Amino acid sequence: MRAPQVLRLLTALLAVGMGVGCPMRPCEQHPPSPLFDSALVGVGQPLELTVPGVFNECASTREDRAQSVTVEVRDPQNRVVPATAELGVHGASAIVRFTPEQTGRHHLVVSFAPVGSVRQSSLYVVEDHGDAAPLADFSTVVECLGVDRTASGTWLCGSRALRTPDQEPQPLGDYFAPAVVADDVVWVTEAARVHRYVDPGSGPLATSATAPFPATGAPAEAPPHARLATPTELLLLDDTQLHRYVFSEEEGLRAMGSTPVPPSRLATFSDDMPSLLMRAGERLLVVRIAEAPPPATMAIEACPYQLDAAGAPEAVPDEPCHSVPGLPAGHEDGVLWARAASSTERLELLRYTAASGRLRLEGVLEMTASFQVQGARRLRTTGFGVPVISAATSASGAYAVPRWRAETGTVVLELLPSPPERQPPFVSGRYFHLEHWNILYGVKVYARPSTL
């Protein structure tokens, strides 16, 4: 009676062993999980990182785990950073601890023995301003297309002025009219007029002067998309012309003249700005994207302009436009940020300064392709803006902006407060703002850390 049962059991075991009747898929070895190439961590903060080893997933036993582990961490100057490492549970991972004291890219090497392989990764140590308090919280606005502030303390939310954050805004022009602040002067350019306002220190901003735009009287083909200003001068760049206005107490606001600019066939920024306007010493630069010879297909082109004897802008005679590598990603007063790919695995953030009529490379920040560089947004209304750096695959919502450290001649990153719903911040020249919903729409305004 027992023989048939034994036979059936033996048959079942053979079927399992030979894959008969219940086939088993072959074991597949998966690639190791990525480490920290896109991590942004704060300088001076103790870190505790879990680094998994690389083991044979198809092994028949789980006893072939690491018996020891070592770690080496090096800072941007290739100096060893004190660090410790200990094996985690069952020797499948390592717990690494260290405190970075320098900003910049750090290299991490974790070695498992006798199995577990060597794991390497980079971490970007940055100045952490994630806990910074907001300067203002606008509660009476529907949207801020750009944020700035006069020397006397009046906030600008797009083309609207607020003496205090909870004040009803004072409209200075059309809703989409670009505004630019120069000390206590606010310039607003509408479709057909230029307005000059002055902040008296209390109460609403006072109208100082106004003039037709453009000065020729013929309607402009497009509103100005770039501008530069001082308290007494306004430069406006539209798709076809560069315009200049000058104010004096004796003569009021005068149009000094306009000059044609070459048409741009390629958009410069994400909001379809065709070109930028920059000061370069006594000259001006109209910056755009142009075709480049192989192996590059596009590059940055800067065309010089100057003022003639009558004070009108004109192209510099017998001086051609010049090209520099990269694609524009941001714009500050006298500074152009650009991005370039040095290889399929690496990208660069380039900092150009405008001086003596030319763009000159001043600093380079190298990053892995695990980061993404988002170009400045809303430049038509903010005027200035810098690129925002984030991890390409991370859901942490951490955003950083570049900063020039003059004492070391390097480009570093500074971590911004995390925005709600993980939306990137809007970064302008001196401030950045986060949009949020708390029953009603609101705007939290922060100072750029590098401008504190």
Side-chain angles (χ1 to χ4, degrees):
M1 293 295 295
R2 295 181 56 86
Q5 295 180 1
V6 173
L7 182 60
R8 285 196 297 269
L9 179 59
L10 180 59
T11 302
L13 292 173
L14 288 173
V16 172
M18 298 180 63
V20 179
C22 184
M24 298 181 65
R25 295 180 181 178
C27 178
E28 296 181 1
Q29 183 76 13
H30 297 89
S33 59
L35 294 181
F36 317 106
D37 281 332
S38 59
L40 296 170
V41 298
V43 64
Q45 298 181 4
L47 298 179
E48 182 177 293
L49 308 174
T50 300
V51 180
V54 180
F55 303 99
N56 183 5
E57 298 177 1
C58 301
S60 58
T61 176
R62 290 294 181 179
E63 295 179 356
D64 54 343
R65 289 294 183 251
Q67 303 300 314
S68 64
V69 64
T70 58
V71 62
E72 181 180 83
V73 180
R74 290 188 176 269
D75 68 11
Q77 287 74 43
N78 202 34
R79 297 173 299 195
V80 175
V81 178
T84 62
E86 61 182 64
L87 288 175
V89 179
H90 305 305
S93 62
I95 308 300
V96 176
R97 298 181 178 90
F98 68 98
T99 300
E101 301 294 348
Q102 299 289 330
T103 59
R105 183 172 178 263
H106 285 57
H107 191 63
L108 177 76
V109 179
V110 179
S111 303
F112 294 87
V115 293
S117 189
V118 175
R119 306 300 310 273
Q120 300 188 57
S121 184
S122 297
L123 297 97
Y124 286 80
V125 181
V126 301
E127 298 179 11
D128 190 355
H129 301 277
D131 295 331
L135 294 178
D137 192 345
F138 299 157
S139 58
T140 59
V141 300
V142 177
E143 185 181 20
C144 266
L145 300 180
V147 172
D148 210 337
R149 199 177 193 184
T150 67
S152 293
T154 297
W155 288 104
L156 270 294
C157 173
S159 60
R160 292 161 294 172
L162 300 92
R163 177 66 62 183
T164 59
D166 57 353
Q167 181 189 49
E168 190 66 26
Q170 174 194 359
L172 304 179
D174 294 339
Y175 180 77
F176 292 102
V180 57
V181 176
D183 295 332
D184 273 329
V185 172
V186 179
W187 300 88
V188 178
T189 306
E190 295 184 298
R193 297 201 70 80
V194 172
H195 304 274
R196 182 181 186 269
Y197 293 89
V198 176
D199 187 351
S202 62
L205 270 62
T207 301
S208 166
T210 183
F213 174 78
T216 57
E221 295 185 12
H225 57 260
R227 65 271 188 203
L228 293 173
T230 70
T232 58
E233 179 192 51
L234 177 66
L235 294 156
L236 298 171
L237 178 65
D238 60 31
D239 289 351
T240 60
Q241 299 279 325
L242 174 60
H243 314 266
R244 183 172 184 255
Y245 290 81
V246 170
F247 173 82
S248 67
E249 296 293 344
E250 297 76 21
E251 300 181 87
L253 184 59
R254 295 181 299 143
M256 305 304 294
S258 304
T259 189
V261 295
S264 299
R265 297 188 301 271
L266 302 171
T268 301
F269 287 91
S270 58
D271 53 357
D272 294 329
M273 282 188 63
S275 52
L276 294 173
L277 184 61
M278 302 182 67
R279 294 190 190 274
E282 296 296 322
R283 293 182 176 180
L284 302 167
L285 291 177
V286 174
V287 180
R288 59 182 184 168
I289 293 180
E291 296 179 354
T297 57
M298 294 182 291
I300 296 170
E301 183 179 72
C303 302
Y305 288 78
Q306 63 186 11
L307 302 182
D308 63 16
E314 65 173 359
V316 178
D318 303 322
E319 187 169 329
C321 306
H322 65 279
S323 297
V324 294
L327 294 177
H331 174 221
E332 297 183 87
D333 188 14
V335 173
L336 178 69
W337 294 98
R339 55 189 165 195
S342 57
S343 68
T344 57
E345 297 181 353
R346 303 196 66 78
L347 60 87
E348 295 175 333
L349 186 64
L350 312 174
R351 185 182 192 269
Y352 291 98
T353 55
S356 303
R358 300 188 67 84
L359 290 176
R360 303 183 185 279
L361 182 63
E362 188 176 41
V364 179
L365 175 65
E366 293 188 350
M367 295 176 288
T368 65
S370 57
F371 283 97
Q372 60 183 4
V373 179
Q374 178 176 280
R377 299 181 295 166
R378 297 182 179 176
L379 275 178
R380 287 181 179 269
T381 50
T382 60
F384 293 134
V386 300
V388 175
I389 313 299
S390 62
T393 58
S394 174
S396 64
Y399 295 97
V401 291
R403 172 180 181 177
W404 173 247
R405 179 168 285 172
E407 62 270 20
T408 59
T410 58
V411 177
V412 298
L413 296 177
E414 47 193 20
L415 205 59
L416 302 181
S418 298
E421 300 179 0
R422 297 174 179 173
Q423 296 298 314
F426 296 95
V427 185
S428 57
R430 296 183 295 163
Y431 305 96
F432 70 95
H433 65 279
L434 306 176
E435 298 176 340
H436 64 88
W437 287 91
N438 184 14
I439 303 177
L440 298 176
Y441 175 86
V443 175
K444 290 186 182 293
V445 181
Y446 297 80
R448 283 267 307 279
S450 55
T451 61
L452 290 173

